[in-house]
Amino acid sequence: SVVHGIVEGHNGKITVYSEKGHGTTFHIYLPLIDKKVEPGSIHTQEAPLGDECVLFVDDEKPILQMGKRTLERLGYKVLEYQDSAEAWTYFEQYTESIDVVITDMTMPKMTGDDLALEAMPIRPDIPVILFTGYSDIMSRDIFVALGIKDCLKKPRTRQDLAESIRRVLDENQDTPKTLPEKSGIPPESEENAS
């Protein structure tokens, strides 16, 4: 799904031909580019760094390993979990040691949005970033309404990830610590609580 997303993101197509006993052939077609890129003409922006602790959850081992490496190179301490239920258990025990949760959306046992919804009542200030390869399942507005701070579509660039983490961590320092709305029901007002 990651390769498919990259190819389609560049207006390309993938075809597959498979024959029993002979294997499978993939053809990737990308559009031609008419203009030349001159060396030095592309200006890259430095990725923002950090030193906070990231709880990183993804059920796909290669993505977990690559994500951990990327996050460590950005300066973060990384606690990685391939099993979302194990990540939840760790979060419950060591809540205050985690600065941000980055989780895949679609996982067995506990989905990323469920993990976020379980974590936020314990730590209302915990920023959660959700990764998804399926942007049309839920809209970004729905994620935000659930209290999730950002949603990144797979595949994502190192720069996108670094900017997202830095933004949610910096915004979190300026935001009052309140519970997010759950299931569309707003938190009780002070008048109704007594």
mmCIF file of all heavy atoms in Angstrom, residues 1-50:
data_model
loop_
_atom_site.group_PDB
_atom_site.id
_atom_site.type_symbol
_atom_site.label_atom_id
_atom_site.label_comp_id
_atom_site.label_asym_id
_atom_site.label_seq_id
_atom_site.Cartn_x
_atom_site.Cartn_y
_atom_site.Cartn_z
ATOM 1 N N SER A 1 0.819 -1.198 0.000
ATOM 2 C CA SER A 1 0.000 0.000 0.000
ATOM 3 C C SER A 1 0.862 1.260 0.000
ATOM 4 O O SER A 1 0.454 2.282 -0.524
ATOM 5 C CB SER A 1 -0.970 -0.006 1.173
ATOM 6 O OG SER A 1 -0.332 0.245 2.384
ATOM 7 N N VAL A 2 2.070 1.178 0.602
ATOM 8 C CA VAL A 2 2.947 2.339 0.630
ATOM 9 C C VAL A 2 3.426 2.677 -0.782
ATOM 10 O O VAL A 2 3.364 3.825 -1.212
ATOM 11 C CB VAL A 2 4.151 2.095 1.574
ATOM 12 C CG1 VAL A 2 5.169 3.213 1.462
ATOM 13 C CG2 VAL A 2 3.672 1.955 3.012
ATOM 14 N N VAL A 3 3.888 1.658 -1.523
ATOM 15 C CA VAL A 3 4.356 1.879 -2.899
ATOM 16 C C VAL A 3 3.211 2.395 -3.755
ATOM 17 O O VAL A 3 3.381 3.340 -4.530
ATOM 18 C CB VAL A 3 4.959 0.586 -3.494
ATOM 19 C CG1 VAL A 3 5.265 0.763 -4.984
ATOM 20 C CG2 VAL A 3 6.212 0.186 -2.740
ATOM 21 N N HIS A 4 2.041 1.813 -3.611
ATOM 22 C CA HIS A 4 0.869 2.248 -4.370
ATOM 23 C C HIS A 4 0.580 3.725 -4.097
ATOM 24 O O HIS A 4 0.311 4.500 -5.018
ATOM 25 C CB HIS A 4 -0.335 1.379 -4.000
ATOM 26 C CG HIS A 4 -1.560 1.677 -4.792
ATOM 27 N ND1 HIS A 4 -2.593 2.437 -4.301
ATOM 28 C CD2 HIS A 4 -1.909 1.338 -6.054
ATOM 29 C CE1 HIS A 4 -3.531 2.546 -5.218
ATOM 30 N NE2 HIS A 4 -3.143 1.883 -6.288
ATOM 31 N N GLY A 5 0.661 4.133 -2.830
ATOM 32 C CA GLY A 5 0.430 5.534 -2.475
ATOM 33 C C GLY A 5 1.450 6.471 -3.097
ATOM 34 O O GLY A 5 1.102 7.556 -3.567
ATOM 35 N N ILE A 6 2.707 6.065 -3.120
ATOM 36 C CA ILE A 6 3.761 6.889 -3.720
ATOM 37 C C ILE A 6 3.531 7.036 -5.214
ATOM 38 O O ILE A 6 3.569 8.138 -5.761
ATOM 39 C CB ILE A 6 5.159 6.278 -3.453
ATOM 40 C CG1 ILE A 6 5.494 6.353 -1.963
ATOM 41 C CG2 ILE A 6 6.228 6.992 -4.282
ATOM 42 C CD1 ILE A 6 6.732 5.573 -1.568
ATOM 43 N N VAL A 7 3.277 5.920 -5.888
ATOM 44 C CA VAL A 7 3.083 5.940 -7.345
ATOM 45 C C VAL A 7 1.865 6.778 -7.707
ATOM 46 O O VAL A 7 1.929 7.643 -8.588
ATOM 47 C CB VAL A 7 2.987 4.504 -7.911
ATOM 48 C CG1 VAL A 7 2.575 4.517 -9.377
ATOM 49 C CG2 VAL A 7 4.319 3.777 -7.742
ATOM 50 N N GLU A 8 0.744 6.566 -7.040
ATOM 51 C CA GLU A 8 -0.461 7.347 -7.340
ATOM 52 C C GLU A 8 -0.269 8.811 -6.994
ATOM 53 O O GLU A 8 -0.804 9.687 -7.669
ATOM 54 C CB GLU A 8 -1.669 6.768 -6.612
ATOM 55 C CG GLU A 8 -2.162 5.500 -7.272
ATOM 56 C CD GLU A 8 -3.646 5.278 -7.101
ATOM 57 O OE1 GLU A 8 -4.256 5.895 -6.210
ATOM 58 O OE2 GLU A 8 -4.185 4.485 -7.895
ATOM 59 N N GLY A 9 0.508 9.088 -5.943
ATOM 60 C CA GLY A 9 0.791 10.471 -5.564
ATOM 61 C C GLY A 9 1.588 11.214 -6.619
ATOM 62 O O GLY A 9 1.618 12.441 -6.644
ATOM 63 N N HIS A 10 2.258 10.474 -7.493
ATOM 64 C CA HIS A 10 3.018 11.084 -8.595
ATOM 65 C C HIS A 10 2.297 10.885 -9.930
ATOM 66 O O HIS A 10 2.917 10.907 -10.990
ATOM 67 C CB HIS A 10 4.423 10.483 -8.649
ATOM 68 C CG HIS A 10 5.286 10.937 -7.523
ATOM 69 N ND1 HIS A 10 5.318 10.297 -6.302
ATOM 70 C CD2 HIS A 10 6.127 11.991 -7.416
ATOM 71 C CE1 HIS A 10 6.151 10.917 -5.509
ATOM 72 N NE2 HIS A 10 6.644 11.952 -6.150
ATOM 73 N N ASN A 11 0.978 10.672 -9.864
ATOM 74 C CA ASN A 11 0.129 10.483 -11.047
ATOM 75 C C ASN A 11 0.561 9.288 -11.890
ATOM 76 O O ASN A 11 0.460 9.300 -13.117
ATOM 77 C CB ASN A 11 0.081 11.753 -11.906
ATOM 78 C CG ASN A 11 -0.537 12.898 -11.156
ATOM 79 O OD1 ASN A 11 -1.533 12.733 -10.463
ATOM 80 N ND2 ASN A 11 0.076 14.071 -11.269
ATOM 81 N N GLY A 12 1.042 8.245 -11.231
ATOM 82 C CA GLY A 12 1.465 7.043 -11.931
ATOM 83 C C GLY A 12 0.470 5.920 -11.778
ATOM 84 O O GLY A 12 -0.571 6.063 -11.138
ATOM 85 N N LYS A 13 0.800 4.804 -12.366
ATOM 86 C CA LYS A 13 -0.051 3.604 -12.310
ATOM 87 C C LYS A 13 0.831 2.378 -12.083
ATOM 88 O O LYS A 13 1.994 2.354 -12.477
ATOM 89 C CB LYS A 13 -0.823 3.411 -13.621
ATOM 90 C CG LYS A 13 -1.795 4.521 -13.941
ATOM 91 C CD LYS A 13 -2.991 4.473 -13.030
ATOM 92 C CE LYS A 13 -3.940 5.613 -13.334
ATOM 93 N NZ LYS A 13 -4.774 5.973 -12.227
ATOM 94 N N ILE A 14 0.241 1.359 -11.459
ATOM 95 C CA ILE A 14 0.906 0.069 -11.283
ATOM 96 C C ILE A 14 0.021 -0.991 -11.915
ATOM 97 O O ILE A 14 -1.191 -1.009 -11.689
ATOM 98 C CB ILE A 14 1.094 -0.280 -9.792
ATOM 99 C CG1 ILE A 14 1.975 0.746 -9.090
ATOM 100 C CG2 ILE A 14 1.709 -1.675 -9.643
ATOM 101 C CD1 ILE A 14 2.123 0.502 -7.599
ATOM 102 N N THR A 15 0.647 -1.872 -12.734
ATOM 103 C CA THR A 15 -0.090 -3.016 -13.260
ATOM 104 C C THR A 15 0.586 -4.281 -12.735
ATOM 105 O O THR A 15 1.784 -4.292 -12.469
ATOM 106 C CB THR A 15 -0.117 -3.047 -14.805
ATOM 107 O OG1 THR A 15 1.220 -3.163 -15.291
ATOM 108 C CG2 THR A 15 -0.780 -1.798 -15.372
ATOM 109 N N VAL A 16 -0.206 -5.324 -12.586
ATOM 110 C CA VAL A 16 0.293 -6.588 -12.050
ATOM 111 C C VAL A 16 -0.116 -7.706 -12.994
ATOM 112 O O VAL A 16 -1.266 -7.776 -13.438
ATOM 113 C CB VAL A 16 -0.293 -6.867 -10.644
ATOM 114 C CG1 VAL A 16 0.242 -8.181 -10.092
ATOM 115 C CG2 VAL A 16 -0.023 -5.731 -9.694
ATOM 116 N N TYR A 17 0.841 -8.571 -13.319
ATOM 117 C CA TYR A 17 0.548 -9.755 -14.113
ATOM 118 C C TYR A 17 1.099 -10.953 -13.347
ATOM 119 O O TYR A 17 2.258 -10.967 -12.948
ATOM 120 C CB TYR A 17 1.187 -9.676 -15.506
ATOM 121 C CG TYR A 17 0.995 -10.934 -16.300
ATOM 122 C CD1 TYR A 17 -0.234 -11.223 -16.883
ATOM 123 C CD2 TYR A 17 2.028 -11.855 -16.436
ATOM 124 C CE1 TYR A 17 -0.426 -12.391 -17.594
ATOM 125 C CE2 TYR A 17 1.846 -13.027 -17.147
ATOM 126 C CZ TYR A 17 0.617 -13.293 -17.721
ATOM 127 O OH TYR A 17 0.419 -14.454 -18.417
ATOM 128 N N SER A 18 0.257 -11.946 -13.139
ATOM 129 C CA SER A 18 0.675 -13.120 -12.390
ATOM 130 C C SER A 18 0.272 -14.373 -13.136
ATOM 131 O O SER A 18 -0.831 -14.459 -13.679
ATOM 132 C CB SER A 18 0.014 -13.097 -11.001
ATOM 133 O OG SER A 18 0.511 -14.144 -10.213
ATOM 134 N N GLU A 19 1.187 -15.322 -13.186
ATOM 135 C CA GLU A 19 0.915 -16.586 -13.841
ATOM 136 C C GLU A 19 1.407 -17.704 -12.937
ATOM 137 O O GLU A 19 2.572 -17.700 -12.516
ATOM 138 C CB GLU A 19 1.636 -16.641 -15.201
ATOM 139 C CG GLU A 19 1.187 -17.784 -16.073
ATOM 140 C CD GLU A 19 1.808 -17.694 -17.459
ATOM 141 O OE1 GLU A 19 1.801 -16.590 -18.042
ATOM 142 O OE2 GLU A 19 2.295 -18.722 -17.928
ATOM 143 N N LYS A 20 0.504 -18.624 -12.627
ATOM 144 C CA LYS A 20 0.832 -19.714 -11.718
ATOM 145 C C LYS A 20 2.059 -20.481 -12.219
ATOM 146 O O LYS A 20 2.142 -20.839 -13.387
ATOM 147 C CB LYS A 20 -0.367 -20.653 -11.569
ATOM 148 C CG LYS A 20 -0.201 -21.662 -10.479
ATOM 149 C CD LYS A 20 -1.476 -22.457 -10.265
ATOM 150 C CE LYS A 20 -1.278 -23.412 -9.107
ATOM 151 N NZ LYS A 20 -2.498 -24.133 -8.769
ATOM 152 N N GLY A 21 3.017 -20.652 -11.322
ATOM 153 C CA GLY A 21 4.238 -21.380 -11.663
ATOM 154 C C GLY A 21 5.305 -20.525 -12.320
ATOM 155 O O GLY A 21 6.424 -20.981 -12.525
ATOM 156 N N HIS A 22 4.971 -19.286 -12.701
ATOM 157 C CA HIS A 22 5.949 -18.420 -13.368
ATOM 158 C C HIS A 22 6.233 -17.140 -12.600
ATOM 159 O O HIS A 22 7.101 -16.368 -12.970
ATOM 160 C CB HIS A 22 5.469 -18.082 -14.793
ATOM 161 C CG HIS A 22 5.513 -19.249 -15.712
ATOM 162 N ND1 HIS A 22 4.433 -20.084 -15.899
ATOM 163 C CD2 HIS A 22 6.520 -19.750 -16.473
ATOM 164 C CE1 HIS A 22 4.761 -21.038 -16.743
ATOM 165 N NE2 HIS A 22 6.026 -20.864 -17.105
ATOM 166 N N GLY A 23 5.464 -16.855 -11.596
ATOM 167 C CA GLY A 23 5.723 -15.672 -10.780
ATOM 168 C C GLY A 23 4.818 -14.499 -11.132
ATOM 169 O O GLY A 23 3.859 -14.629 -11.890
ATOM 170 N N THR A 24 5.175 -13.367 -10.559
ATOM 171 C CA THR A 24 4.380 -12.148 -10.709
ATOM 172 C C THR A 24 5.267 -11.023 -11.213
ATOM 173 O O THR A 24 6.415 -10.891 -10.793
ATOM 174 C CB THR A 24 3.763 -11.753 -9.352
ATOM 175 O OG1 THR A 24 2.976 -12.857 -8.881
ATOM 176 C CG2 THR A 24 2.892 -10.520 -9.460
ATOM 177 N N THR A 25 4.718 -10.215 -12.114
ATOM 178 C CA THR A 25 5.448 -9.066 -12.652
ATOM 179 C C THR A 25 4.668 -7.798 -12.344
ATOM 180 O O THR A 25 3.465 -7.730 -12.585
ATOM 181 C CB THR A 25 5.619 -9.188 -14.190
ATOM 182 O OG1 THR A 25 6.268 -10.425 -14.475
ATOM 183 C CG2 THR A 25 6.433 -8.035 -14.747
ATOM 184 N N PHE A 26 5.360 -6.822 -11.791
ATOM 185 C CA PHE A 26 4.772 -5.520 -11.513
ATOM 186 C C PHE A 26 5.387 -4.520 -12.490
ATOM 187 O O PHE A 26 6.611 -4.500 -12.668
ATOM 188 C CB PHE A 26 5.096 -5.057 -10.084
ATOM 189 C CG PHE A 26 4.424 -5.868 -9.027
ATOM 190 C CD1 PHE A 26 4.996 -7.036 -8.546
ATOM 191 C CD2 PHE A 26 3.213 -5.448 -8.498
ATOM 192 C CE1 PHE A 26 4.377 -7.772 -7.555
ATOM 193 C CE2 PHE A 26 2.590 -6.181 -7.500
ATOM 194 C CZ PHE A 26 3.174 -7.350 -7.032
ATOM 195 N N HIS A 27 4.563 -3.698 -13.103
ATOM 196 C CA HIS A 27 5.040 -2.605 -13.957
ATOM 197 C C HIS A 27 4.600 -1.300 -13.313
ATOM 198 O O HIS A 27 3.424 -1.130 -12.987
ATOM 199 C CB HIS A 27 4.458 -2.705 -15.378
ATOM 200 C CG HIS A 27 5.009 -3.851 -16.158
ATOM 201 N ND1 HIS A 27 6.133 -3.744 -16.940
ATOM 202 C CD2 HIS A 27 4.594 -5.143 -16.242
ATOM 203 C CE1 HIS A 27 6.390 -4.921 -17.494
ATOM 204 N NE2 HIS A 27 5.468 -5.786 -17.080
ATOM 205 N N ILE A 28 5.546 -0.411 -13.157
ATOM 206 C CA ILE A 28 5.258 0.905 -12.583
ATOM 207 C C ILE A 28 5.445 1.942 -13.679
ATOM 208 O O ILE A 28 6.500 2.003 -14.304
ATOM 209 C CB ILE A 28 6.180 1.205 -11.381
ATOM 210 C CG1 ILE A 28 5.940 0.168 -10.287
ATOM 211 C CG2 ILE A 28 5.964 2.623 -10.875
ATOM 212 C CD1 ILE A 28 6.858 0.290 -9.093
ATOM 213 N N TYR A 29 4.406 2.732 -13.908
ATOM 214 C CA TYR A 29 4.431 3.764 -14.937
ATOM 215 C C TYR A 29 4.333 5.131 -14.271
ATOM 216 O O TYR A 29 3.399 5.390 -13.511
ATOM 217 C CB TYR A 29 3.256 3.584 -15.905
ATOM 218 C CG TYR A 29 3.281 2.248 -16.614
ATOM 219 C CD1 TYR A 29 2.572 1.162 -16.112
ATOM 220 C CD2 TYR A 29 4.023 2.082 -17.784
ATOM 221 C CE1 TYR A 29 2.600 -0.064 -16.743
ATOM 222 C CE2 TYR A 29 4.053 0.851 -18.432
ATOM 223 C CZ TYR A 29 3.344 -0.211 -17.908
ATOM 224 O OH TYR A 29 3.375 -1.433 -18.539
ATOM 225 N N LEU A 30 5.298 5.987 -14.558
ATOM 226 C CA LEU A 30 5.305 7.346 -14.023
ATOM 227 C C LEU A 30 5.329 8.332 -15.183
ATOM 228 O O LEU A 30 5.956 8.064 -16.220
ATOM 229 C CB LEU A 30 6.526 7.561 -13.124
ATOM 230 C CG LEU A 30 6.572 6.701 -11.854
ATOM 231 C CD1 LEU A 30 7.933 6.801 -11.185
ATOM 232 C CD2 LEU A 30 5.471 7.100 -10.896
ATOM 233 N N PRO A 31 4.702 9.477 -15.040
ATOM 234 C CA PRO A 31 4.704 10.459 -16.133
ATOM 235 C C PRO A 31 6.098 11.064 -16.315
ATOM 236 O O PRO A 31 6.892 11.158 -15.378
ATOM 237 C CB PRO A 31 3.706 11.516 -15.662
ATOM 238 C CG PRO A 31 3.614 11.348 -14.190
ATOM 239 C CD PRO A 31 3.934 9.918 -13.892
ATOM 240 N N LEU A 32 6.367 11.454 -17.558
ATOM 241 C CA LEU A 32 7.627 12.134 -17.863
ATOM 242 C C LEU A 32 7.599 13.563 -17.335
ATOM 243 O O LEU A 32 6.545 14.200 -17.269
ATOM 244 C CB LEU A 32 7.859 12.181 -19.374
ATOM 245 C CG LEU A 32 8.188 10.856 -20.053
ATOM 246 C CD1 LEU A 32 8.238 11.047 -21.567
ATOM 247 C CD2 LEU A 32 9.511 10.315 -19.553
ATOM 248 N N ILE A 33 8.753 14.055 -17.003
ATOM 249 C CA ILE A 33 8.873 15.448 -16.565
ATOM 250 C C ILE A 33 9.583 16.203 -17.675
ATOM 251 O O ILE A 33 10.634 15.783 -18.161
ATOM 252 C CB ILE A 33 9.677 15.543 -15.252
ATOM 253 C CG1 ILE A 33 8.943 14.793 -14.151
ATOM 254 C CG2 ILE A 33 9.918 16.988 -14.871
ATOM 255 C CD1 ILE A 33 9.693 14.731 -12.840
ATOM 256 N N ASP A 34 8.993 17.330 -18.084
ATOM 257 C CA ASP A 34 9.538 18.091 -19.196
ATOM 258 C C ASP A 34 10.711 18.989 -18.802
ATOM 259 O O ASP A 34 11.543 19.297 -19.625
ATOM 260 C CB ASP A 34 8.446 18.960 -19.832
ATOM 261 C CG ASP A 34 7.383 18.102 -20.499
ATOM 262 O OD1 ASP A 34 7.720 17.000 -20.973
ATOM 263 O OD2 ASP A 34 6.221 18.540 -20.539
ATOM 264 N N LYS A 35 10.752 19.426 -17.567
ATOM 265 C CA LYS A 35 11.791 20.382 -17.201
ATOM 266 C C LYS A 35 12.925 19.703 -16.447
ATOM 267 O O LYS A 35 12.738 18.732 -15.731
ATOM 268 C CB LYS A 35 11.214 21.524 -16.375
ATOM 269 C CG LYS A 35 10.499 21.102 -15.130
ATOM 270 C CD LYS A 35 9.877 22.290 -14.437
ATOM 271 C CE LYS A 35 9.000 21.792 -13.288
ATOM 272 N NZ LYS A 35 8.295 22.833 -12.636
ATOM 273 N N LYS A 36 14.133 20.250 -16.636
ATOM 274 C CA LYS A 36 15.312 19.756 -15.945
ATOM 275 C C LYS A 36 15.458 20.470 -14.612
ATOM 276 O O LYS A 36 15.146 21.651 -14.492
ATOM 277 C CB LYS A 36 16.571 20.049 -16.759
ATOM 278 C CG LYS A 36 16.945 19.007 -17.749
ATOM 279 C CD LYS A 36 18.306 19.331 -18.322
ATOM 280 C CE LYS A 36 18.902 18.112 -18.967
ATOM 281 N NZ LYS A 36 20.214 18.398 -19.499
ATOM 282 N N VAL A 37 15.925 19.742 -13.623
ATOM 283 C CA VAL A 37 16.205 20.347 -12.326
ATOM 284 C C VAL A 37 17.701 20.606 -12.264
ATOM 285 O O VAL A 37 18.516 19.698 -12.434
ATOM 286 C CB VAL A 37 15.772 19.401 -11.172
ATOM 287 C CG1 VAL A 37 16.138 19.998 -9.839
ATOM 288 C CG2 VAL A 37 14.288 19.112 -11.257
ATOM 289 N N GLU A 38 18.047 21.873 -12.072
ATOM 290 C CA GLU A 38 19.445 22.254 -11.993
ATOM 291 C C GLU A 38 20.015 21.898 -10.626
ATOM 292 O O GLU A 38 19.345 22.097 -9.613
ATOM 293 C CB GLU A 38 19.595 23.768 -12.236
ATOM 294 C CG GLU A 38 19.142 24.210 -13.619
ATOM 295 C CD GLU A 38 19.980 23.615 -14.724
ATOM 296 O OE1 GLU A 38 21.216 23.464 -14.555
ATOM 297 O OE2 GLU A 38 19.404 23.261 -15.764
ATOM 298 N N PRO A 39 21.244 21.377 -10.598
ATOM 299 C CA PRO A 39 21.857 21.084 -9.297
ATOM 300 C C PRO A 39 21.897 22.346 -8.423
ATOM 301 O O PRO A 39 22.217 23.429 -8.900
ATOM 302 C CB PRO A 39 23.273 20.632 -9.652
ATOM 303 C CG PRO A 39 23.210 20.242 -11.092
ATOM 304 C CD PRO A 39 22.105 21.060 -11.711
ATOM 305 N N GLY A 40 21.541 22.195 -7.177
ATOM 306 C CA GLY A 40 21.555 23.320 -6.242
ATOM 307 C C GLY A 40 20.316 24.186 -6.299
ATOM 308 O O GLY A 40 20.178 25.126 -5.532
ATOM 309 N N SER A 41 19.367 23.886 -7.223
ATOM 310 C CA SER A 41 18.178 24.732 -7.344
ATOM 311 C C SER A 41 17.085 24.350 -6.342
ATOM 312 O O SER A 41 16.154 25.093 -6.141
ATOM 313 C CB SER A 41 17.616 24.670 -8.768
ATOM 314 O OG SER A 41 17.148 23.370 -9.042
ATOM 315 N N ILE A 42 17.216 23.178 -5.740
ATOM 316 C CA ILE A 42 16.234 22.752 -4.751
ATOM 317 C C ILE A 42 16.774 23.097 -3.373
ATOM 318 O O ILE A 42 17.863 22.683 -2.999
ATOM 319 C CB ILE A 42 15.955 21.240 -4.852
ATOM 320 C CG1 ILE A 42 15.370 20.910 -6.217
ATOM 321 C CG2 ILE A 42 15.045 20.780 -3.737
ATOM 322 C CD1 ILE A 42 15.177 19.438 -6.465
ATOM 323 N N HIS A 43 16.014 23.900 -2.652
ATOM 324 C CA HIS A 43 16.427 24.303 -1.312
ATOM 325 C C HIS A 43 15.665 23.458 -0.303
ATOM 326 O O HIS A 43 14.439 23.466 -0.281
ATOM 327 C CB HIS A 43 16.122 25.789 -1.076
ATOM 328 C CG HIS A 43 16.813 26.675 -2.065
ATOM 329 N ND1 HIS A 43 18.161 26.896 -2.045
ATOM 330 C CD2 HIS A 43 16.328 27.364 -3.124
ATOM 331 C CE1 HIS A 43 18.491 27.702 -3.043
ATOM 332 N NE2 HIS A 43 17.385 28.001 -3.721
ATOM 333 N N THR A 44 16.410 22.738 0.501
ATOM 334 C CA THR A 44 15.755 21.916 1.514
ATOM 335 C C THR A 44 15.759 22.638 2.851
ATOM 336 O O THR A 44 16.684 23.373 3.172
ATOM 337 C CB THR A 44 16.465 20.555 1.666
ATOM 338 O OG1 THR A 44 17.829 20.792 2.007
ATOM 339 C CG2 THR A 44 16.386 19.746 0.388
ATOM 340 N N GLN A 45 14.727 22.406 3.592
ATOM 341 C CA GLN A 45 14.583 23.014 4.902
ATOM 342 C C GLN A 45 15.069 22.015 5.945
ATOM 343 O O GLN A 45 14.845 20.816 5.828
ATOM 344 C CB GLN A 45 13.110 23.343 5.141
ATOM 345 C CG GLN A 45 12.837 24.038 6.433
ATOM 346 C CD GLN A 45 11.339 24.339 6.570
ATOM 347 O OE1 GLN A 45 10.558 24.115 5.659
ATOM 348 N NE2 GLN A 45 10.962 24.843 7.718
ATOM 349 N N GLU A 46 15.756 22.503 6.952
ATOM 350 C CA GLU A 46 16.211 21.638 8.031
ATOM 351 C C GLU A 46 15.014 21.103 8.802
ATOM 352 O O GLU A 46 14.107 21.849 9.140
ATOM 353 C CB GLU A 46 17.124 22.411 8.990
ATOM 354 C CG GLU A 46 18.512 22.681 8.432
ATOM 355 C CD GLU A 46 19.339 21.409 8.259
ATOM 356 O OE1 GLU A 46 19.318 20.542 9.158
ATOM 357 O OE2 GLU A 46 19.995 21.295 7.211
ATOM 358 N N ALA A 47 15.036 19.814 9.080
ATOM 359 C CA ALA A 47 13.955 19.208 9.857
ATOM 360 C C ALA A 47 14.097 19.629 11.318
ATOM 361 O O ALA A 47 15.197 19.595 11.861
ATOM 362 C CB ALA A 47 14.014 17.693 9.736
ATOM 363 N N PRO A 48 12.990 20.023 11.957
ATOM 364 C CA PRO A 48 13.072 20.374 13.372
ATOM 365 C C PRO A 48 13.409 19.140 14.213
ATOM 366 O O PRO A 48 12.936 18.050 13.935
ATOM 367 C CB PRO A 48 11.676 20.908 13.704
ATOM 368 C CG PRO A 48 10.794 20.478 12.603
ATOM 369 C CD PRO A 48 11.646 20.165 11.416
ATOM 370 N N LEU A 49 14.250 19.338 15.213
ATOM 371 C CA LEU A 49 14.706 18.247 16.065
ATOM 372 C C LEU A 49 14.044 18.322 17.425
ATOM 373 O O LEU A 49 13.389 19.301 17.758
ATOM 374 C CB LEU A 49 16.230 18.329 16.223
ATOM 375 C CG LEU A 49 17.044 18.357 14.927
ATOM 376 C CD1 LEU A 49 18.521 18.531 15.232
ATOM 377 C CD2 LEU A 49 16.800 17.119 14.089
ATOM 378 N N GLY A 50 14.233 17.274 18.216
ATOM 379 C CA GLY A 50 13.694 17.260 19.566
ATOM 380 C C GLY A 50 14.442 16.268 20.426
ATOM 381 O O GLY A 50 15.320 15.551 19.946
#
